[in-house]
Amino acid sequence: MTNSTFSPIHIIGGGLAGSEAAWQVAEAGVPVILHEMRGVRGTDAHKTDGLAELVCSNSFRSDDATANAVGVIHAEMRLANSLIMACADKHQVPAGGALAVDRDGFSDAVTAALHQHPLISVVREEVTGLPPEDWDLAIIATGPLTSPALAEAIRERTGKDALAFFDAIAPIVHTESIDMDICWFQSRYDKVGPGGTGKDYINCPLDETQYNAFIDALIAGDAVGFKEWEGTPYFDGCLPIEVMAERGRETLRHGPMKPMGLTNAHNPTVKPYAVVQLRQDNALGTLYNMVGFQTKLRYGAQAEIFRMIPGLQNAEFARLGGLHRNTYIHSPTLLDHSLQLKARPGLRFAGQITGCEGYVESASIGLLAGRFAAAERKGETPSLPPATTALGSLLNHITGGHIVSDEEPGKRSFQPMNINFGLFPELDPGSIVKPEGVKRFRGKDKTIMKRQLVSARALAHCKDWLGLA
């Protein structure tokens, strides 16, 4: 680390949020000490000691910045010099309209960039308590897999119990073991995305009999017993496949196994009753992950049940699915609008532990926490992003949404949230104008225009906030 006129900011956690926070602080000219326990102590989900390791999907989801909230936050992060987005763009793999990455190449790139930055020092150690007072400014970005000792220290200081929920991960299949005489390549509706061709997913078709047999097997499957955590809620954006099956026989067919927008290349005249999609997981194309197939089934049951899927009857799994416990704090009551713990000025939280959900959402909160902390270290007032931006709308959800009412003091209504258009402020009245020559303007067409206008407004306001306009 080079000399600096500023004291360092300490960041605990080298996941996506901590890595992004460290980058933002250092790029602002303030030194950083990044504390990461992997390499000294592992977690239930991580496989390496690389920074910003992706433990679930390899997808950053939609990259459409014109009408998709996730694509908008991608674009805003790029405008803000995001390290996570730069590395994701450099290591993308085909994924239709989504931005997916080679997980090893991505993590290696983030790790290298942080180690090479002259203002960043990476220290491999477990921090078992809250940052000591002499650290002054610090950011806790330990994510959903916060170590028990640190989680307990956070609970003791905040007086609030962290709410646990299950997060399941999907299996990964060796490409060569997939039967392409049954399966075919196609993106839904032949959509061409970044680095893609419109044929970026491997599709496995099921008829009605096969689908019902598969559902029966899922429901009867030998699920892992997590008695210690019984009664804790799942996050609806990452439900285990067997939990979805239990909610109704048709649930999967209208969710991750929906057949819409797909035509069986081997039998074009027969519409599949359901389809399982697999998405490329590495740059070589040797691995594909089962989209939406997060699971808590035991390993033996997984292999047996998933090989019931046509085309996967001989599947060899590079990784089977799994389940881990996530924790997050009740941010609306504990944090101010700059992500600072109200009970301890100078200590900020970032990433999934704040109650956001998803890779880019986690990294975006790290981006904001880093910028806020760096501004404070330089004697400046942190500049909050406008509520009309994706960054601002997610920040507002975390720091100001779903506060528990006085009438129901024991009820926690605050839940993890992905970025979505429901978090953005409404458009000004009259901004949605029927296109010239269109007689009927409602429903889907009106919704698309509204999303386009919200997206354009967000990017324009983000540029203003960053001084790029």
Side-chain angles (χ1 to χ4, degrees), residues 247-261:
R247 292 188 172 185
R249 183 162 290 273
E250 294 292 294
T251 301
L252 289 175
R253 207 169 74 84
H254 291 88
M257 294 179 70
K258 60 181 178 287
M260 283 74 78

Side-chain angles (χ1 to χ4, degrees), residues 48-308:
T48 76
D49 61 1
L51 300 176
E53 179 187 343
L54 305 182
V55 299
C56 191
S57 168
N58 70 323
S59 175
F60 282 31
R61 313 195 318 279
S62 175
D63 202 43
D64 176 13
T66 65
N68 187 288
V70 179
V72 173
I73 207 167
H74 285 181
E76 291 182 5
M77 291 173 68
R78 290 183 179 111
L79 290 173
N81 184 33
S82 165
L83 173 66
I84 293 302
M85 289 307 302
C87 293
D89 289 337
K90 185 177 180 180
H91 292 278
Q92 68 174 359
V93 297
L99 172 62
V101 304
D102 179 312
R103 66 180 73 231
D104 292 332
F106 167 77
S107 176
D108 290 346
V110 173
T111 302
L114 294 178
H115 277 284
Q116 292 167 9
H117 199 292
L119 289 178
I120 298 175
S121 293
V122 179
V123 179
R124 297 285 181 167
E125 64 178 3
E126 180 184 2
V127 178
T128 57
L130 291 181
E133 296 289 345
D134 61 3
W135 279 12
D136 188 17
L137 297 185
I139 299 171
I140 294 178
T142 47
L145 300 176
T146 300
S147 68
L150 180 55
E152 182 58 33
I154 293 170
R155 280 192 288 267
E156 289 179 0
R157 183 58 185 260
T158 61
K160 299 285 185 179
D161 289 334
L163 177 62
F165 66 98
F166 292 135
D167 192 9
I169 57 179
I172 295 177
V173 180
H174 288 284
T175 311
E176 63 182 7
S177 69
I178 301 171
D179 187 348
M180 296 308 297
D181 289 332
I182 296 175
C183 306
W184 74 97
F185 283 98
Q186 185 188 6
S187 300
R188 203 175 298 279
Y189 300 106
D190 301 306
K191 187 170 183 179
V192 178
T197 64
K199 297 183 178 181
D200 302 330
Y201 292 79
I202 293 177
N203 300 277
C204 310
L206 294 86
D207 61 26
E208 186 172 2
T209 299
Q210 291 167 331
Y211 175 79
N212 283 319
F214 179 69
I215 296 300
D216 290 338
L218 278 179
I219 294 173
D222 186 16
V224 174
F226 280 77
K227 293 184 178 180
E228 178 189 353
W229 302 329
E230 284 180 356
T232 60
Y234 295 102
F235 169 57
D236 281 339
C238 202
L239 280 175
I241 194 82
E242 61 277 7
V243 172
M244 283 190 272
E246 291 169 356
R247 292 188 172 185
R249 183 162 290 273
E250 294 292 294
T251 301
L252 289 175
R253 207 169 74 84
H254 291 88
M257 294 179 70
K258 60 181 178 287
M260 283 74 78
L262 298 167
T263 300
N264 190 339
H266 303 296
N267 195 359
T269 61
V270 177
K271 186 73 174 178
Y273 190 75
V275 172
V276 174
Q277 287 197 306
L278 292 90
R279 179 178 55 230
Q280 186 175 333
D281 199 77
N282 65 344
L284 294 175
T286 56
L287 298 174
Y288 272 70
N289 63 65
M290 300 177 68
V291 178
F293 266 57
Q294 303 88 342
T295 182
K296 60 184 178 66
L297 291 169
R298 294 187 184 277
Y299 283 174
Q302 285 186 49
E304 180 180 349
I305 294 171
F306 293 152
R307 286 181 183 136
M308 295 174 63

Side-chain angles (χ1 to χ4, degrees), residues 290-359:
M290 300 177 68
V291 178
F293 266 57
Q294 303 88 342
T295 182
K296 60 184 178 66
L297 291 169
R298 294 187 184 277
Y299 283 174
Q302 285 186 49
E304 180 180 349
I305 294 171
F306 293 152
R307 286 181 183 136
M308 295 174 63
I309 298 169
L312 300 185
Q313 63 272 13
N314 298 313
E316 295 296 330
F317 296 94
R319 183 192 71 187
L320 288 164
L323 185 70
H324 54 272
R325 181 180 180 173
N326 287 350
T327 58
Y328 63 95
I329 63 174
H330 195 272
S331 296
T333 56
L334 298 176
L335 305 182
D336 70 11
H337 288 292
S338 72
L339 299 166
Q340 188 171 227
L341 188 65
K342 295 175 184 177
R344 180 175 163 180
L347 176 59
R348 287 179 167 83
F349 285 79
Q352 286 183 265
I353 197 171
T354 65
C356 64
E357 179 64 26
Y359 290 150

